[in-house]
């Protein structure tokens, strides 16, 4: 009872301040409003695109020479997002359109069912802002383009991957390192796990869809997509989370629920394809993926868990879970690095053996980066001493 009362009071307060903030944005700020479409996903028969309407936060594109202070300012701007609640958006696709109203956090989602195959494994959609509550004077035109990546008919497998400590080094189990990685680095200075880009390119093979499901907030979307482009990691749809207060949850939705719900939705969408699940030992991935394997053992080709905790009890627990999965016919591996996962993927026919050369080479190159990067960051943070 007390929790519900607290949530009701907290959400009422947040709603009030959001309305006040929105009115101030409209009246006092000359910053333009933008529509941020997120990479969509789907099949030739049906696809989905999510997006958000918000104030342009003025975040500059990352460079190799950005100081930690500039990175900190940009990160502040990402999290201090000024969403436009209940904005009305029109989505145009192949001569048809849909009108959508965003929710109280500025998020919206649109679904289309095309009548012809996609070009280059994607469908393009145009978005325009129609209006929003509290604005009575004529709108300046606000338009943007988005797209959805489409799984082709010859796709052989679907890959679902975590992000933090699976693709990108975050050190979630160490709060100090997590904060430093998140706030003091940018898309050019964040580090991938060694060899992960080459491994994912081999899994993708130009046709197999990859989905990135994470507890990270949507505020980091632009940083993540930039990081993927810089590092040559295959593009895919992101399933991130909104950080905020609602009537049903405090701060953020349950991580396990978010991940399980997303994976089951993707399995329903790609009902004829097997899945490969990739995560790490830092939080809940082993338990989440085990639940998927137990429910759909015939649909899971492999589960790869990167060992990032160096905790013997945690390792024993994961190995016990792996034994349970093995009895169901699902291979669940606790791996020390990308190469170990890739070697198993070769045996399972998920990637060609020739891909191992690139993965080994990339792992070697990636290992050279951390030491020089640490020296650069330490120099920046101590330069004023």
């Amino acid at each position: 009872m007390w929790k519900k009362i607290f949530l009701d009071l907290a959400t009422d307060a947040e709603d009030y301040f959001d309305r006040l903030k929105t009115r101030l944005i409209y009246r006092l700020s000359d910053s333009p409003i933008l529509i941020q479409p997120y990479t969509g996903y789907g099949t030739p028969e049906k696809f989905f695109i999510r997006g958000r309407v918000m104030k342009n936060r003025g975040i500059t594109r990352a460079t190799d020479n950005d100081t930690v202070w500039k990175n900190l300012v940009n990160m502040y701007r990402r999290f201090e997002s000024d969403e436009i609640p209940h904005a009305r958006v029109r989505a145009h696709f192949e001569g048809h359109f849909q009108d959508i109203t965003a929710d109280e956090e500025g998020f919206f989602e649109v679904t289309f069912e095309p009548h012809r195959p996609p070009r280059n494994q994607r469908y393009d959609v145009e978005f325009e802002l129609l209006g929003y509550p509290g604005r009575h004077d004529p709108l300046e035109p606000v338009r943007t383009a988005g797209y959805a990546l489409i799984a082709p008919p010859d796709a052989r497998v679907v890959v679902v991957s975590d992000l933090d400590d699976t693709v990108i080094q975050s050190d979630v189990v160490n709060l100090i390192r997590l904060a430093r990685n998140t706030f003091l680095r940018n898309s050019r200075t964040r580090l991938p796990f060694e060899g992960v880009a080459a491994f994912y390119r081999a899994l993708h093979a130009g046709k197999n869809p990859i989905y990135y499901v994470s507890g990270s907030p949507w505020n980091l979307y632009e940083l993540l997509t930039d990081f993927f482009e810089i590092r040559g990691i295959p593009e895919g749809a992101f399933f991130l989370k909104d950080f905020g207060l609602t009537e049903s949850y405090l701060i953020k939705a349950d991580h396990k629920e978010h991940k399980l719900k997303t994976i089951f939705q993707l399995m329903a969408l790609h009902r004829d394809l097997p899945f490969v699940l990739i995560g790490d030992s830092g939080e809940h991935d082993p338990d989440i993926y085990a639940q998927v394997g137990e429910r759909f053992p015939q649909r899971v080709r492999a589960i790869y868990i990167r060992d990032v905790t160096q905790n013997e009890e945690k390792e024993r627990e994961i190995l016990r879970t792996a034994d349970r999965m093995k009895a169901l016919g699902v291979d669940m591996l606790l791996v020390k690095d990308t190469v170990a996962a890739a070697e198993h993927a070769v045996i399972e026919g998920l990637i060609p053996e020739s891909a191992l050369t690139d993965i080994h080479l990339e792992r070697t190159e990636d290992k050279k980066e951390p030491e020089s990067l640490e020296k650069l960051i330490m120099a920046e943070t101590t330069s004023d001493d």
Side-chain angles (χ1 to χ4, degrees), residues 6 60 100 194 219 256 303 321:
F6 176 76
T60 56
I100 322 104
E194 296 90 350
N219 307 64
K256 289 185 178 181
I303 299 173
T321 302

Side-chain angles (χ1 to χ4, degrees), residues 173 256 280-288 305-322 332 334:
V173 296
K256 289 185 178 181
D280 63 84
S281 63
E283 294 188 296
H284 306 295
D285 288 341
D287 293 336
I288 294 169
I305 302 296
R306 184 188 298 277
D307 188 1
V308 298
T309 59
Q310 305 301 315
N311 182 300
E312 291 185 2
E313 178 55 36
K314 181 74 171 179
E315 291 175 6
R316 286 193 292 267
E317 180 184 341
I318 294 172
L319 291 175
R320 287 193 294 268
T321 302
M332 181 176 185
L334 180 64

Side-chain angles (χ1 to χ4, degrees), residues 163-227:
L163 285 174
D164 292 312
D165 289 333
T166 299
V167 174
I168 186 170
Q169 295 187 28
S170 300
D171 289 306
V172 170
V173 296
N174 185 309
L175 290 179
I176 294 177
R177 291 179 181 175
L178 173 63
R180 183 178 61 175
N181 285 329
T182 301
F183 295 104
L184 302 185
R185 294 180 176 177
N186 61 37
S187 56
R188 290 187 170 273
T189 55
R190 292 293 295 269
L191 295 172
F193 275 96
E194 296 90 350
V196 72
F199 181 40
Y200 281 35
R201 287 195 298 269
L203 287 169
H204 176 51
K207 59 186 177 182
N208 298 320
I210 301 183
Y211 297 106
Y212 301 98
V213 186
S214 170
S216 293
W218 283 106
N219 307 64
L220 298 180
Y221 176 79
E222 154 269 329
L223 181 148
L224 290 169
T225 54
D226 200 23
F227 172 83

Side-chain angles (χ1 to χ4, degrees), residues 285-306:
D285 288 341
D287 293 336
I288 294 169
Y289 293 164
Q291 289 186 53
V292 176
E294 289 170 342
R295 185 169 175 180
F296 298 105
Q298 303 301 319
R299 302 271 323 265
V300 180
R301 287 286 301 277
I303 299 173
Y304 300 121
I305 302 296
R306 184 188 298 277

